[in-house]
Amino acid sequence: FIPLAEKTNLIKELTYWVIDNAFKQKRAWIDSNLPLGIAVNLSPYLLNDLLLPDKIDELIKKHEIPIDNICFEITETGMLNKPEIAMDI
């Protein structure tokens, strides 16, 4: 379903939903004294979204979570296609 989300431009909303829920789960783990990390895969299509860092910051504040043990993964293909944008984000 990811390729379909990418083709229909729903990938941005889907990714924001996934990040929001991952941060919500991290908050629940913190509240349960479970120091677990999370990883979220980012579509190469999101490398054009210069608001992504602001959205992530907003969600970190919303869930009141520390930024340690949060990993965002971008495929090598995504990095190779737009390395300057990927590094900025």
Side-chain angles (χ1 to χ4, degrees), residues 33-75:
N33 291 319
L34 296 170
L36 301 173
I38 57 170
V40 177
N41 291 325
L42 297 178
S43 166
Y45 289 89
L46 287 173
L47 296 182
N48 293 323
D49 182 5
L50 297 179
L51 297 178
L52 180 61
D54 292 333
K55 183 63 175 180
I56 291 170
D57 188 52
E58 173 189 321
L59 293 172
I60 286 170
K61 290 174 183 171
K62 172 185 173 184
H63 294 288
E64 299 178 347
I65 59 173
I67 59 172
D68 63 322
N69 294 323
I70 297 174
C71 177
F72 291 97
E73 300 175 354
I74 303 170
T75 63

Side-chain angles (χ1 to χ4, degrees), residues 7-48:
K7 287 180 184 175
T8 59
N9 293 323
L10 293 174
I11 194 65
K12 182 177 177 178
E13 290 79 17
L14 176 62
T15 301
Y16 288 171
W17 181 87
V18 167
I19 294 170
D20 188 37
N21 281 277
F23 288 2
K24 179 180 177 182
Q25 182 60 58
K26 184 166 178 61
R27 175 78 258 164
W29 287 334
I30 290 168
D31 292 344
S32 298
N33 291 319
L34 296 170
L36 301 173
I38 57 170
V40 177
N41 291 325
L42 297 178
S43 166
Y45 289 89
L46 287 173
L47 296 182
N48 293 323

